[in-house]
Amino acid sequence: MTYEEKMRRFNQDRFGIYVHFGLYSLLGRGEWTMYSERIPAAEYAKLADKFQPHANCAREWVEAAVAAGAKYMVLTTRHHEGFCLFDSAYSDYTSAKLGCKRDIVREYVDAARAAGLRVGLYYSLLDWRFPGYFEPEKYPESKAALIKQIFGQVRELMTNYGKIDILEYDGGWDAKLCKDRAQWAEFWNAVELNKMVRSLQPDIIINDRSGADEDIETPEQVVRAGVQRMTESCMCIGDSCAWGYTRFNPNWKSPEQLLQHLVMAAQLGGNYLLNIGPCPDGSIRNEELERLQAVGRWLKDNHEAIYGSESCELIGASQPGCVDLNLQGPWTRKGNIGYWCIFRWPGKTAAAVRVGVPIKKVALLATGQEYPFTWDPCDGKLTIFDLPELPPDPLASVLKVEFEDIPKRMTETDLAAWLKLD
Ligand code: GLC
């Protein structure tokens, strides 16, 4: 598979569900608890015996992802705490040997594949149990042991679970936060590591968090276009300060917010990875499940605007120059078709300006109902009439607009022309 084909498929999938699950889930204070509360390794490790996720947890996550309309998933196989959710010859600190004594990664991979989802694995390079991560000069042997563990475990993950579609590294930064990306890559020997990964999984997509560039950027808590590479925007479903289970999580994003992020990611030609943090027993709490289901219901009617759509440069009626979110909502595109995803319904008449290509037809995507429109070739103003007064879809209504060519934004040479004073 060529790089282009791989990326096209990734875009076709567009939407993934991220699952943060580990010993931290038992504490309910987010996945950074071991470090942020400086809990000594031996004391923290006592949690492992209590790690008893229910028998169907992986299937439950997969079902939720399918209900959300996601096409792939990414699971934390090992977070910064170092506890592995898979069996490893390089560590006894795993769910296969302690607590539930199960290979959760295997359960997840099997369930995701059975449901037709593509499989992503998250792996943290840093492991807080190794002093050689924090002070490599002082503890060179520990650093060497950490690197050995990484190479061994990444090989295991890339060998023992069949075809892996995505590898998401994390924790690539240096503990003192004073080095650049090239230095991170050198620290982890990332170029070699990824060479090994690609030899075992030739079609895999790898993110850039090891410091080596690779295929995708994975910015957090923000939707933006890729700077160098394709972007997968990773976001929490609740408060953005923690990805793992947070017992009291006061700021759940509304289905409308989640959809806006998904559509904005699509408008910019990137992907959206939405995170959930299952409860200590691996179940998904209702607050998360309901939101995923709402997104999935919307996608049933409007998927055409999302999966595999390309970036679109059209803007709406307001805020010229702001391509990420205009007043009514972003546009996505497939070939000559534009999809105007309207979150703030304008009422009976909708206007988009600077539309640089003639229009053939306007219809509501969910129903196929057509609406009359005018388009002014001089100033590019598209006006759509006789729309319902109230939003046809309470979350977001999509107008499917057929253009004569690939829709482009019109350049305004005379910024005052629209006043039509003469
Ligand atoms: C981060 C955090 C981490 C979280 C991840 C999600 O870098 O350290 O806790 O797992 O991003 O993308």
Side-chain angles (χ1 to χ4, degrees), residues 37-83:
E37 298 180 14
R38 305 291 198 276
I39 303 175
E43 191 186 326
Y44 190 85
K46 290 183 193 147
L47 286 169
D49 292 334
K50 302 199 187 93
F51 189 71
Q52 302 285 352
H54 76 79
N56 283 325
C57 65
R59 244 173 289 157
E60 188 181 333
W61 307 335
V62 168
E63 273 166 28
V66 170
K71 299 292 183 195
Y72 66 100
M73 294 181 76
V74 179
L75 170 68
T76 51
T77 66
R78 192 197 77 170
H79 206 268
H80 313 334
E81 64 181 11
F83 185 71

mmCIF file of all heavy atoms in Angstrom, residues 37-83:
data_model
loop_
_atom_site.group_PDB
_atom_site.id
_atom_site.type_symbol
_atom_site.label_atom_id
_atom_site.label_comp_id
_atom_site.label_asym_id
_atom_site.label_seq_id
_atom_site.Cartn_x
_atom_site.Cartn_y
_atom_site.Cartn_z
ATOM 1 N N GLU A 37 0.963 12.812 41.994
ATOM 2 C CA GLU A 37 0.912 12.691 43.455
ATOM 3 C C GLU A 37 2.195 12.035 43.981
ATOM 4 O O GLU A 37 2.282 11.726 45.172
ATOM 5 C CB GLU A 37 -0.343 11.900 43.873
ATOM 6 C CG GLU A 37 -1.625 12.620 43.452
ATOM 7 C CD GLU A 37 -2.907 11.896 43.832
ATOM 8 O OE1 GLU A 37 -2.859 10.951 44.652
ATOM 9 O OE2 GLU A 37 -3.960 12.274 43.300
ATOM 10 N N ARG A 38 3.158 11.798 43.091
ATOM 11 C CA ARG A 38 4.458 11.186 43.446
ATOM 12 C C ARG A 38 4.253 9.957 44.339
ATOM 13 O O ARG A 38 4.769 9.883 45.454
ATOM 14 C CB ARG A 38 5.396 12.187 44.134
ATOM 15 C CG ARG A 38 5.669 13.477 43.350
ATOM 16 C CD ARG A 38 6.521 13.231 42.102
ATOM 17 N NE ARG A 38 7.111 14.474 41.606
ATOM 18 C CZ ARG A 38 6.490 15.355 40.800
ATOM 19 N NH1 ARG A 38 5.255 15.121 40.384
ATOM 20 N NH2 ARG A 38 7.109 16.445 40.394
ATOM 21 N N ILE A 39 3.477 8.988 43.815
ATOM 22 C CA ILE A 39 3.223 7.757 44.563
ATOM 23 C C ILE A 39 4.358 6.775 44.252
ATOM 24 O O ILE A 39 4.556 6.414 43.084
ATOM 25 C CB ILE A 39 1.857 7.134 44.162
ATOM 26 C CG1 ILE A 39 0.731 8.157 44.385
ATOM 27 C CG2 ILE A 39 1.598 5.839 44.947
ATOM 28 C CD1 ILE A 39 -0.643 7.714 43.908
ATOM 29 N N PRO A 40 5.116 6.352 45.254
ATOM 30 C CA PRO A 40 6.257 5.466 44.983
ATOM 31 C C PRO A 40 5.827 4.205 44.222
ATOM 32 O O PRO A 40 4.720 3.689 44.437
ATOM 33 C CB PRO A 40 6.776 5.111 46.383
ATOM 34 C CG PRO A 40 6.275 6.202 47.272
ATOM 35 C CD PRO A 40 4.973 6.664 46.689
ATOM 36 N N ALA A 41 6.735 3.725 43.365
ATOM 37 C CA ALA A 41 6.400 2.628 42.448
ATOM 38 C C ALA A 41 5.825 1.410 43.167
ATOM 39 O O ALA A 41 4.808 0.840 42.732
ATOM 40 C CB ALA A 41 7.638 2.239 41.638
ATOM 41 N N ALA A 42 6.451 0.991 44.290
ATOM 42 C CA ALA A 42 5.998 -0.234 44.973
ATOM 43 C C ALA A 42 4.599 -0.045 45.550
ATOM 44 O O ALA A 42 3.778 -0.970 45.523
ATOM 45 C CB ALA A 42 6.987 -0.612 46.063
ATOM 46 N N GLU A 43 4.363 1.132 46.052
ATOM 47 C CA GLU A 43 3.034 1.388 46.634
ATOM 48 C C GLU A 43 1.977 1.399 45.521
ATOM 49 O O GLU A 43 0.914 0.789 45.643
ATOM 50 C CB GLU A 43 3.078 2.734 47.350
ATOM 51 C CG GLU A 43 1.873 3.010 48.211
ATOM 52 C CD GLU A 43 1.909 4.423 48.777
ATOM 53 O OE1 GLU A 43 3.014 4.932 49.074
ATOM 54 O OE2 GLU A 43 0.825 5.033 48.875
ATOM 55 N N TYR A 44 2.303 2.066 44.420
ATOM 56 C CA TYR A 44 1.364 2.157 43.293
ATOM 57 C C TYR A 44 1.074 0.769 42.722
ATOM 58 O O TYR A 44 -0.069 0.453 42.367
ATOM 59 C CB TYR A 44 1.962 3.063 42.213
ATOM 60 C CG TYR A 44 0.999 3.432 41.094
ATOM 61 C CD1 TYR A 44 0.117 4.503 41.223
ATOM 62 C CD2 TYR A 44 0.983 2.701 39.898
ATOM 63 C CE1 TYR A 44 -0.754 4.839 40.193
ATOM 64 C CE2 TYR A 44 0.103 3.030 38.862
ATOM 65 C CZ TYR A 44 -0.756 4.104 39.014
ATOM 66 O OH TYR A 44 -1.616 4.431 37.998
ATOM 67 N N ALA A 45 2.101 -0.061 42.692
ATOM 68 C CA ALA A 45 1.971 -1.392 42.071
ATOM 69 C C ALA A 45 0.953 -2.275 42.791
ATOM 70 O O ALA A 45 0.446 -3.245 42.201
ATOM 71 C CB ALA A 45 3.330 -2.080 42.041
ATOM 72 N N LYS A 46 0.638 -1.925 44.038
ATOM 73 C CA LYS A 46 -0.359 -2.726 44.774
ATOM 74 C C LYS A 46 -1.726 -2.689 44.075
ATOM 75 O O LYS A 46 -2.552 -3.579 44.276
ATOM 76 C CB LYS A 46 -0.500 -2.211 46.210
ATOM 77 C CG LYS A 46 0.710 -2.500 47.074
ATOM 78 C CD LYS A 46 0.477 -2.021 48.484
ATOM 79 C CE LYS A 46 1.784 -2.012 49.259
ATOM 80 N NZ LYS A 46 1.854 -0.946 50.248
ATOM 81 N N LEU A 47 -1.920 -1.673 43.266
ATOM 82 C CA LEU A 47 -3.193 -1.560 42.542
ATOM 83 C C LEU A 47 -3.410 -2.742 41.590
ATOM 84 O O LEU A 47 -4.550 -3.108 41.285
ATOM 85 C CB LEU A 47 -3.216 -0.277 41.702
ATOM 86 C CG LEU A 47 -3.406 1.058 42.429
ATOM 87 C CD1 LEU A 47 -3.137 2.198 41.463
ATOM 88 C CD2 LEU A 47 -4.822 1.144 42.993
ATOM 89 N N ALA A 48 -2.314 -3.326 41.136
ATOM 90 C CA ALA A 48 -2.412 -4.365 40.093
ATOM 91 C C ALA A 48 -3.308 -5.526 40.528
ATOM 92 O O ALA A 48 -4.062 -6.075 39.720
ATOM 93 C CB ALA A 48 -1.020 -4.867 39.715
ATOM 94 N N ASP A 49 -3.234 -5.906 41.818
ATOM 95 C CA ASP A 49 -4.063 -7.034 42.288
ATOM 96 C C ASP A 49 -5.542 -6.698 42.214
ATOM 97 O O ASP A 49 -6.389 -7.589 42.119
ATOM 98 C CB ASP A 49 -3.698 -7.380 43.740
ATOM 99 C CG ASP A 49 -2.306 -7.962 43.812
ATOM 100 O OD1 ASP A 49 -1.864 -8.538 42.798
ATOM 101 O OD2 ASP A 49 -1.656 -7.805 44.866
ATOM 102 N N LYS A 50 -5.830 -5.412 42.287
ATOM 103 C CA LYS A 50 -7.254 -5.001 42.284
ATOM 104 C C LYS A 50 -7.782 -4.790 40.863
ATOM 105 O O LYS A 50 -8.930 -4.416 40.673
ATOM 106 C CB LYS A 50 -7.415 -3.692 43.061
ATOM 107 C CG LYS A 50 -6.946 -3.778 44.495
ATOM 108 C CD LYS A 50 -7.552 -2.635 45.304
ATOM 109 C CE LYS A 50 -6.979 -2.587 46.711
ATOM 110 N NZ LYS A 50 -5.827 -1.707 46.862
ATOM 111 N N PHE A 51 -6.915 -4.992 39.899
ATOM 112 C CA PHE A 51 -7.317 -4.739 38.502
ATOM 113 C C PHE A 51 -8.136 -5.932 37.988
ATOM 114 O O PHE A 51 -7.586 -6.971 37.630
ATOM 115 C CB PHE A 51 -6.063 -4.530 37.648
ATOM 116 C CG PHE A 51 -6.337 -4.050 36.248
ATOM 117 C CD1 PHE A 51 -6.788 -2.766 36.009
ATOM 118 C CD2 PHE A 51 -6.136 -4.895 35.152
ATOM 119 C CE1 PHE A 51 -7.042 -2.318 34.709
ATOM 120 C CE2 PHE A 51 -6.383 -4.453 33.855
ATOM 121 C CZ PHE A 51 -6.832 -3.166 33.645
ATOM 122 N N GLN A 52 -9.448 -5.778 38.017
ATOM 123 C CA GLN A 52 -10.352 -6.888 37.668
ATOM 124 C C GLN A 52 -11.453 -6.402 36.713
ATOM 125 O O GLN A 52 -12.628 -6.379 37.075
ATOM 126 C CB GLN A 52 -11.034 -7.444 38.938
ATOM 127 C CG GLN A 52 -10.099 -7.948 40.006
ATOM 128 C CD GLN A 52 -9.479 -9.309 39.667
ATOM 129 O OE1 GLN A 52 -9.862 -9.962 38.688
ATOM 130 N NE2 GLN A 52 -8.507 -9.725 40.453
ATOM 131 N N PRO A 53 -11.090 -6.008 35.501
ATOM 132 C CA PRO A 53 -12.141 -5.551 34.580
ATOM 133 C C PRO A 53 -13.138 -6.677 34.281
ATOM 134 O O PRO A 53 -12.757 -7.845 34.274
ATOM 135 C CB PRO A 53 -11.373 -5.162 33.326
ATOM 136 C CG PRO A 53 -10.010 -5.711 33.469
ATOM 137 C CD PRO A 53 -9.749 -5.953 34.913
ATOM 138 N N HIS A 54 -14.362 -6.292 34.040
ATOM 139 C CA HIS A 54 -15.365 -7.328 33.800
ATOM 140 C C HIS A 54 -15.077 -8.061 32.491
ATOM 141 O O HIS A 54 -14.405 -7.535 31.593
ATOM 142 C CB HIS A 54 -16.791 -6.757 33.866
ATOM 143 C CG HIS A 54 -17.214 -5.966 32.669
ATOM 144 N ND1 HIS A 54 -17.622 -6.545 31.494
ATOM 145 C CD2 HIS A 54 -17.307 -4.630 32.461
ATOM 146 C CE1 HIS A 54 -17.954 -5.593 30.623
ATOM 147 N NE2 HIS A 54 -17.762 -4.429 31.186
ATOM 148 N N ALA A 55 -15.607 -9.271 32.389
ATOM 149 C CA ALA A 55 -15.208 -10.199 31.324
ATOM 150 C C ALA A 55 -15.428 -9.651 29.914
ATOM 151 O O ALA A 55 -14.692 -9.984 28.993
ATOM 152 C CB ALA A 55 -15.964 -11.511 31.490
ATOM 153 N N ASN A 56 -16.448 -8.789 29.745
ATOM 154 C CA ASN A 56 -16.777 -8.318 28.389
ATOM 155 C C ASN A 56 -16.351 -6.883 28.125
ATOM 156 O O ASN A 56 -16.869 -6.238 27.221
ATOM 157 C CB ASN A 56 -18.292 -8.398 28.172
ATOM 158 C CG ASN A 56 -18.714 -9.818 27.906
ATOM 159 O OD1 ASN A 56 -17.986 -10.574 27.275
ATOM 160 N ND2 ASN A 56 -19.880 -10.180 28.424
ATOM 161 N N CYS A 57 -15.404 -6.383 28.930
ATOM 162 C CA CYS A 57 -15.126 -4.938 28.820
ATOM 163 C C CYS A 57 -14.704 -4.547 27.406
ATOM 164 O O CYS A 57 -15.177 -3.546 26.872
ATOM 165 C CB CYS A 57 -14.132 -4.479 29.872
ATOM 166 S SG CYS A 57 -12.500 -5.206 29.693
ATOM 167 N N ALA A 58 -13.850 -5.339 26.783
ATOM 168 C CA ALA A 58 -13.362 -4.948 25.452
ATOM 169 C C ALA A 58 -14.517 -4.908 24.457
ATOM 170 O O ALA A 58 -14.618 -3.990 23.628
ATOM 171 C CB ALA A 58 -12.282 -5.914 24.981
ATOM 172 N N ARG A 59 -15.405 -5.894 24.590
ATOM 173 C CA ARG A 59 -16.559 -5.907 23.666
ATOM 174 C C ARG A 59 -17.446 -4.687 23.917
ATOM 175 O O ARG A 59 -18.005 -4.109 22.989
ATOM 176 C CB ARG A 59 -17.344 -7.200 23.814
ATOM 177 C CG ARG A 59 -17.301 -8.013 22.522
ATOM 178 C CD ARG A 59 -17.913 -9.373 22.667
ATOM 179 N NE ARG A 59 -17.076 -10.231 23.482
ATOM 180 C CZ ARG A 59 -17.520 -11.297 24.142
ATOM 181 N NH1 ARG A 59 -18.786 -11.629 24.100
ATOM 182 N NH2 ARG A 59 -16.694 -12.038 24.847
ATOM 183 N N GLU A 60 -17.560 -4.330 25.187
ATOM 184 C CA GLU A 60 -18.371 -3.142 25.515
ATOM 185 C C GLU A 60 -17.782 -1.878 24.870
ATOM 186 O O GLU A 60 -18.514 -1.057 24.304
ATOM 187 C CB GLU A 60 -18.435 -2.980 27.042
ATOM 188 C CG GLU A 60 -19.412 -1.908 27.481
ATOM 189 C CD GLU A 60 -19.476 -1.718 28.996
ATOM 190 O OE1 GLU A 60 -19.198 -2.670 29.755
ATOM 191 O OE2 GLU A 60 -19.805 -0.591 29.406
ATOM 192 N N TRP A 61 -16.457 -1.727 24.909
ATOM 193 C CA TRP A 61 -15.834 -0.548 24.285
ATOM 194 C C TRP A 61 -16.086 -0.552 22.779
ATOM 195 O O TRP A 61 -16.380 0.481 22.182
ATOM 196 C CB TRP A 61 -14.318 -0.535 24.514
ATOM 197 C CG TRP A 61 -13.893 -0.668 25.932
ATOM 198 C CD1 TRP A 61 -14.623 -0.335 27.057
ATOM 199 C CD2 TRP A 61 -12.649 -1.203 26.403
ATOM 200 N NE1 TRP A 61 -13.898 -0.624 28.178
ATOM 201 C CE2 TRP A 61 -12.680 -1.156 27.818
ATOM 202 C CE3 TRP A 61 -11.499 -1.709 25.782
ATOM 203 C CZ2 TRP A 61 -11.619 -1.597 28.606
ATOM 204 C CZ3 TRP A 61 -10.436 -2.138 26.557
ATOM 205 C CH2 TRP A 61 -10.498 -2.086 27.952
ATOM 206 N N VAL A 62 -15.928 -1.743 22.191
ATOM 207 C CA VAL A 62 -16.089 -1.844 20.736
ATOM 208 C C VAL A 62 -17.534 -1.537 20.337
ATOM 209 O O VAL A 62 -17.785 -0.799 19.377
ATOM 210 C CB VAL A 62 -15.645 -3.244 20.246
ATOM 211 C CG1 VAL A 62 -16.078 -3.485 18.812
ATOM 212 C CG2 VAL A 62 -14.136 -3.388 20.394
ATOM 213 N N GLU A 63 -18.476 -2.071 21.102
ATOM 214 C CA GLU A 63 -19.890 -1.793 20.792
ATOM 215 C C GLU A 63 -20.181 -0.296 20.879
ATOM 216 O O GLU A 63 -20.907 0.258 20.054
ATOM 217 C CB GLU A 63 -20.802 -2.527 21.773
ATOM 218 C CG GLU A 63 -21.117 -3.943 21.308
ATOM 219 C CD GLU A 63 -21.721 -4.796 22.418
ATOM 220 O OE1 GLU A 63 -22.378 -4.230 23.325
ATOM 221 O OE2 GLU A 63 -21.525 -6.024 22.375
ATOM 222 N N ALA A 64 -19.588 0.339 21.867
ATOM 223 C CA ALA A 64 -19.807 1.792 22.015
ATOM 224 C C ALA A 64 -19.209 2.537 20.823
ATOM 225 O O ALA A 64 -19.796 3.498 20.307
ATOM 226 C CB ALA A 64 -19.197 2.280 23.321
ATOM 227 N N ALA A 65 -18.037 2.081 20.382
ATOM 228 C CA ALA A 65 -17.385 2.743 19.236
ATOM 229 C C ALA A 65 -18.224 2.562 17.972
ATOM 230 O O ALA A 65 -18.391 3.494 17.178
ATOM 231 C CB ALA A 65 -15.977 2.180 19.033
ATOM 232 N N VAL A 66 -18.765 1.367 17.806
ATOM 233 C CA VAL A 66 -19.609 1.111 16.635
ATOM 234 C C VAL A 66 -20.866 1.977 16.720
ATOM 235 O O VAL A 66 -21.273 2.608 15.736
ATOM 236 C CB VAL A 66 -19.972 -0.389 16.539
ATOM 237 C CG1 VAL A 66 -21.043 -0.634 15.492
ATOM 238 C CG2 VAL A 66 -18.718 -1.220 16.238
ATOM 239 N N ALA A 67 -21.449 2.048 17.907
ATOM 240 C CA ALA A 67 -22.658 2.868 18.073
ATOM 241 C C ALA A 67 -22.373 4.336 17.772
ATOM 242 O O ALA A 67 -23.234 5.069 17.295
ATOM 243 C CB ALA A 67 -23.202 2.718 19.495
ATOM 244 N N ALA A 68 -21.157 4.767 18.031
ATOM 245 C CA ALA A 68 -20.790 6.169 17.774
ATOM 246 C C ALA A 68 -20.549 6.426 16.287
ATOM 247 O O ALA A 68 -20.419 7.573 15.865
ATOM 248 C CB ALA A 68 -19.529 6.528 18.566
ATOM 249 N N GLY A 69 -20.430 5.347 15.513
ATOM 250 C CA GLY A 69 -20.132 5.529 14.089
ATOM 251 C C GLY A 69 -18.637 5.617 13.821
ATOM 252 O O GLY A 69 -18.210 6.015 12.740
ATOM 253 N N ALA A 70 -17.824 5.255 14.817
ATOM 254 C CA ALA A 70 -16.369 5.303 14.627
ATOM 255 C C ALA A 70 -15.936 4.128 13.762
ATOM 256 O O ALA A 70 -16.606 3.096 13.708
ATOM 257 C CB ALA A 70 -15.653 5.245 15.971
ATOM 258 N N LYS A 71 -14.810 4.302 13.082
ATOM 259 C CA LYS A 71 -14.323 3.252 12.186
ATOM 260 C C LYS A 71 -13.028 2.627 12.692
ATOM 261 O O LYS A 71 -12.515 1.691 12.085
ATOM 262 C CB LYS A 71 -14.079 3.822 10.780
ATOM 263 C CG LYS A 71 -15.336 4.396 10.139
ATOM 264 C CD LYS A 71 -16.329 3.296 9.834
ATOM 265 C CE LYS A 71 -17.558 3.844 9.129
ATOM 266 N NZ LYS A 71 -18.659 2.890 9.135
ATOM 267 N N TYR A 72 -12.475 3.189 13.741
ATOM 268 C CA TYR A 72 -11.271 2.582 14.319
ATOM 269 C C TYR A 72 -11.177 2.945 15.793
ATOM 270 O O TYR A 72 -11.929 3.792 16.280
ATOM 271 C CB TYR A 72 -10.001 2.996 13.565
ATOM 272 C CG TYR A 72 -9.619 4.461 13.652
ATOM 273 C CD1 TYR A 72 -8.635 4.891 14.538
ATOM 274 C CD2 TYR A 72 -10.216 5.421 12.839
ATOM 275 C CE1 TYR A 72 -8.244 6.233 14.598
ATOM 276 C CE2 TYR A 72 -9.840 6.753 12.892
ATOM 277 C CZ TYR A 72 -8.852 7.161 13.776
ATOM 278 O OH TYR A 72 -8.491 8.476 13.838
ATOM 279 N N MET A 73 -10.267 2.250 16.466
ATOM 280 C CA MET A 73 -10.079 2.507 17.894
ATOM 281 C C MET A 73 -8.595 2.525 18.210
ATOM 282 O O MET A 73 -7.786 1.971 17.473
ATOM 283 C CB MET A 73 -10.731 1.399 18.727
ATOM 284 C CG MET A 73 -12.241 1.364 18.617
ATOM 285 S SD MET A 73 -12.915 0.045 19.640
ATOM 286 C CE MET A 73 -12.778 0.752 21.273
ATOM 287 N N VAL A 74 -8.282 3.167 19.321
ATOM 288 C CA VAL A 74 -6.900 3.157 19.819
ATOM 289 C C VAL A 74 -6.966 2.884 21.319
ATOM 290 O O VAL A 74 -7.659 3.595 22.051
ATOM 291 C CB VAL A 74 -6.198 4.521 19.559
ATOM 292 C CG1 VAL A 74 -4.772 4.489 20.096
ATOM 293 C CG2 VAL A 74 -6.199 4.879 18.071
ATOM 294 N N LEU A 75 -6.274 1.842 21.776
ATOM 295 C CA LEU A 75 -6.275 1.498 23.204
ATOM 296 C C LEU A 75 -4.886 1.728 23.803
ATOM 297 O O LEU A 75 -3.872 1.383 23.182
ATOM 298 C CB LEU A 75 -6.666 0.017 23.374
ATOM 299 C CG LEU A 75 -6.490 -0.560 24.789
ATOM 300 C CD1 LEU A 75 -7.480 0.062 25.791
ATOM 301 C CD2 LEU A 75 -6.652 -2.089 24.792
ATOM 302 N N THR A 76 -4.868 2.244 25.018
ATOM 303 C CA THR A 76 -3.599 2.408 25.751
ATOM 304 C C THR A 76 -3.105 1.027 26.198
ATOM 305 O O THR A 76 -3.606 0.477 27.163
ATOM 306 C CB THR A 76 -3.808 3.275 27.008
ATOM 307 O OG1 THR A 76 -4.913 2.735 27.762
ATOM 308 C CG2 THR A 76 -4.106 4.710 26.645
ATOM 309 N N THR A 77 -2.152 0.490 25.469
ATOM 310 C CA THR A 77 -1.637 -0.831 25.847
ATOM 311 C C THR A 77 -0.727 -0.722 27.059
ATOM 312 O O THR A 77 -0.574 -1.666 27.823
ATOM 313 C CB THR A 77 -0.827 -1.463 24.700
ATOM 314 O OG1 THR A 77 0.348 -0.666 24.489
ATOM 315 C CG2 THR A 77 -1.640 -1.534 23.423
ATOM 316 N N ARG A 78 -0.093 0.423 27.192
ATOM 317 C CA ARG A 78 0.738 0.700 28.363
ATOM 318 C C ARG A 78 0.888 2.206 28.484
ATOM 319 O O ARG A 78 1.390 2.857 27.573
ATOM 320 C CB ARG A 78 2.118 0.077 28.211
ATOM 321 C CG ARG A 78 2.886 0.088 29.522
ATOM 322 C CD ARG A 78 4.356 -0.126 29.321
ATOM 323 N NE ARG A 78 4.995 1.084 28.834
ATOM 324 C CZ ARG A 78 6.293 1.237 28.744
ATOM 325 N NH1 ARG A 78 7.093 0.262 29.059
ATOM 326 N NH2 ARG A 78 6.799 2.374 28.305
ATOM 327 N N HIS A 79 0.427 2.753 29.568
ATOM 328 C CA HIS A 79 0.543 4.202 29.761
ATOM 329 C C HIS A 79 1.811 4.508 30.553
ATOM 330 O O HIS A 79 2.608 3.617 30.834
ATOM 331 C CB HIS A 79 -0.732 4.747 30.433
ATOM 332 C CG HIS A 79 -0.967 6.177 30.117
ATOM 333 N ND1 HIS A 79 -0.487 7.190 30.915
ATOM 334 C CD2 HIS A 79 -1.579 6.783 29.078
ATOM 335 C CE1 HIS A 79 -0.804 8.346 30.377
ATOM 336 N NE2 HIS A 79 -1.478 8.138 29.254
ATOM 337 N N HIS A 80 1.993 5.779 30.930
ATOM 338 C CA HIS A 80 3.244 6.180 31.598
ATOM 339 C C HIS A 80 3.496 5.421 32.906
ATOM 340 O O HIS A 80 4.622 5.338 33.357
ATOM 341 C CB HIS A 80 3.247 7.681 31.904
ATOM 342 C CG HIS A 80 2.828 8.574 30.769
ATOM 343 N ND1 HIS A 80 2.961 8.224 29.447
ATOM 344 C CD2 HIS A 80 2.283 9.824 30.767
ATOM 345 C CE1 HIS A 80 2.511 9.218 28.688
ATOM 346 N NE2 HIS A 80 2.084 10.190 29.460
ATOM 347 N N GLU A 81 2.461 4.906 33.517
ATOM 348 C CA GLU A 81 2.616 4.162 34.775
ATOM 349 C C GLU A 81 3.369 2.845 34.588
ATOM 350 O O GLU A 81 3.855 2.257 35.546
ATOM 351 C CB GLU A 81 1.231 3.858 35.364
ATOM 352 C CG GLU A 81 0.417 2.938 34.446
ATOM 353 C CD GLU A 81 -0.976 2.592 34.943
ATOM 354 O OE1 GLU A 81 -1.452 3.202 35.908
ATOM 355 O OE2 GLU A 81 -1.592 1.680 34.354
ATOM 356 N N GLY A 82 3.425 2.359 33.337
ATOM 357 C CA GLY A 82 4.214 1.165 33.035
ATOM 358 C C GLY A 82 3.460 -0.152 33.065
ATOM 359 O O GLY A 82 3.992 -1.189 32.661
ATOM 360 N N PHE A 83 2.212 -0.129 33.535
ATOM 361 C CA PHE A 83 1.445 -1.381 33.631
ATOM 362 C C PHE A 83 0.937 -1.763 32.241
ATOM 363 O O PHE A 83 0.246 -0.978 31.583
ATOM 364 C CB PHE A 83 0.270 -1.183 34.594
ATOM 365 C CG PHE A 83 -0.507 -2.438 34.865
ATOM 366 C CD1 PHE A 83 0.030 -3.471 35.624
ATOM 367 C CD2 PHE A 83 -1.800 -2.587 34.366
ATOM 368 C CE1 PHE A 83 -0.695 -4.636 35.879
ATOM 369 C CE2 PHE A 83 -2.539 -3.741 34.619
ATOM 370 C CZ PHE A 83 -1.974 -4.768 35.380
#
